[in-house]
Amino acid sequence: MYNIINNIMFMRAILPLSIIGLSLLLFSCQKESKHSGYVDENEALVEDLKKVSGDSRTYNYDFKILEEPKSEGVNYYEPISITEAFSSIPKEMKDAIHLPNIGDLPFLSGTEQANIVTFWNDSNKLIFEIQVSFFENSAGYKAENQDFFIISATQLADNPFIDTSSEEDPIDLWIEEFNMNGLEGPEEVVIYRKLDLTPDYPLFFKNWQQSWSTMYAYYSYDSSKSLIEHTSTGSKMYYAWHDGLIFQIGYKFTDDTIDMEDVVRKIILGS
C-alpha cells in the first residue's frame, strides 16, 4: 500500500513537467514545420509583412540591368516604417545602406516610409528591393512642386559596370548612347554624366529635363485598392552599383543649393 501511494505521488510530481516538455516539443515542431517550406531562408524576413497587389516593378529602364521578372514571382508588401523595413531585409543589404541625416535635406518631411518588394532570380534566390521615401506632403508625393527624396536599392551580386577594355564594354557603350561626354545645349542633350563614386566604381547622374527620359520610377500605395502602384515623375537622379546593391536615388527640391553628390556618396559608401 505504501509503495502504491509513493508511485501516485511521484506521477503527480512529474506529470506537469511532462506536459510542459511535450508542449515545448510540439511548439518546436510547429515552428520548424512553419519554416520548412522555405526555398530561401530569407523568406522568413518578410513572413509577418502584409502582402498586397502590385501593378509593376520599378527599375532603371535606361541601363536595363534589372529587367522585369515574371509577375507571378513578385511579392509586394504594404508600406511600413523605415525601422521595421530594415529589420525585414537581409543583413548584408542593411549594412550596405547608410540612411541620411534628415536634417541634411532642405525640406521638412511629412511622410517617412519604406516599401519592400521581393522577386526570384534565375537561380531561385529571393531578391530584395527596398525603397525608402521622404515626402514633404503628409499624404505622400503630389506633383504640385512638392519636395521628395527617395532611395531605392536592389540586390545585384555582380557589378554590371565593369570596364572590360573591349569593344563591347558596357560603360563605353553607355557613354556613347547617353552622350555622357557631350556638351549641354539645345541641340545636344546629355542624358547622364559619369562621375566617380570611387576610383573603381562609377556614379551616374541624370539632371532634370522636360522629357519623358528623365522620369524617376518609384512605388506609391493606394490603400483603397490595397495596391502598390508604379509611379513616375520628373526628378534628378543618381545611379550606381556598390557592395552588392544597385542604387537609384531620386529627388526634387525647391531649394537646390544642397550638395547632393556628397549626400549620395555618404548613403552608398557610408563616409
Side-chain angles (χ1 to χ4, degrees):
M1 184 67 177
Y2 179 77
N3 289 336
I4 293 175
I5 293 174
N6 282 343
N7 287 338
I8 292 173
M9 293 179 65
F10 175 74
M11 291 298 294
R12 285 180 176 177
I14 68 170
L15 185 59
L17 295 176
S18 300
I19 293 175
I20 293 172
L22 182 60
S23 299
L24 290 173
L25 179 62
L26 289 173
F27 177 77
S28 176
C29 291
Q30 288 176 350
K31 187 174 182 181
E32 184 176 332
S33 64
K34 182 179 180 182
H35 298 288
S36 63
Y38 288 153
V39 175
D40 187 307
E41 63 180 6
N42 284 329
E43 289 180 79
L45 293 170
V46 292
E47 65 178 357
D48 293 329
L49 301 185
K50 182 180 177 181
K51 287 185 180 180
V52 295
S53 300
D55 62 5
S56 183
R57 267 198 57 239
T58 63
Y59 64 93
N60 186 292
Y61 291 92
D62 295 331
F63 292 96
K64 302 186 186 304
I65 291 170
L66 296 171
E67 296 288 352
E68 187 78 14
K70 294 181 179 179
S71 58
E72 61 267 23
V74 182
N75 286 317
Y76 300 86
Y77 299 94
E78 190 175 66
I80 52 180
S81 71
I82 297 173
T83 300
E84 186 178 0
F86 267 63
S87 299
S88 304
I89 57 177
K91 183 180 184 302
E92 65 271 17
M93 188 179 192
K94 178 174 62 177
D95 292 344
I97 304 171
H98 310 89
L99 292 177
N101 184 342
I102 301 305
D104 291 340
L105 303 180
F107 69 96
L108 293 177
S109 179
T111 299
E112 298 175 13
Q113 64 184 31
N115 292 82
I116 291 179
V117 173
T118 61
F119 58 94
W120 296 92
N121 68 6
D122 294 339
S123 302
N124 223 20
K125 176 179 173 59
L126 189 64
I127 303 300
F128 282 70
E129 178 181 10
I130 185 172
Q131 174 186 290
V132 180
S133 305
F134 303 92
F135 298 116
E136 182 179 13
N137 191 290
S138 59
Y141 179 68
K142 303 297 181 184
E144 298 84 13
N145 296 318
Q146 298 291 330
D147 286 4
F148 73 90
F149 183 68
I150 299 176
I151 305 165
S152 180
T154 308
Q155 289 181 303
L156 185 66
D158 298 324
N159 180 8
F161 303 117
I162 295 177
D163 188 348
T164 61
S165 300
S166 73
E167 293 182 359
E168 298 300 320
D169 175 66
I171 291 185
D172 289 342
L173 295 175
W174 283 317
I175 286 175
E176 181 178 355
E177 180 179 354
F178 301 127
N179 194 27
M180 293 184 187
N181 293 330
L183 299 174
E184 298 281 2
E187 297 180 359
E188 193 173 25
V189 177
V190 175
I191 304 298
Y192 282 94
R193 287 293 184 192
K194 179 178 174 293
L195 310 171
D196 290 328
L197 180 67
T198 71
D200 298 318
Y201 299 111
L203 174 67
F204 299 100
F205 172 68
K206 176 187 276 190
N207 207 345
W208 185 88
Q209 297 165 346
Q210 293 182 337
S211 166
W212 66 267
S213 65
T214 63
M215 299 296 278
Y216 177 76
Y218 68 96
Y219 294 116
S220 61
Y221 182 58
D222 186 336
S223 58
S224 66
K225 301 177 182 178
S226 294
L227 175 68
I228 295 292
E229 297 178 311
H230 173 182
T231 308
S232 298
T233 187
S235 78
K236 296 183 178 181
M237 185 181 76
Y238 285 92
Y239 194 73
W241 181 94
H242 188 261
D243 206 7
L245 297 179
I246 278 285
F247 287 88
Q248 187 174 350
I249 301 174
Y251 65 99
K252 182 179 180 183
F253 299 148
T254 304
D255 176 6
D256 206 15
T257 59
I258 186 172
D259 184 355
M260 279 307 299
E261 188 175 329
D262 181 61
V263 173
V264 167
R265 289 178 186 279
K266 289 178 180 177
I267 291 171
I268 299 175
L269 301 176
S271 59

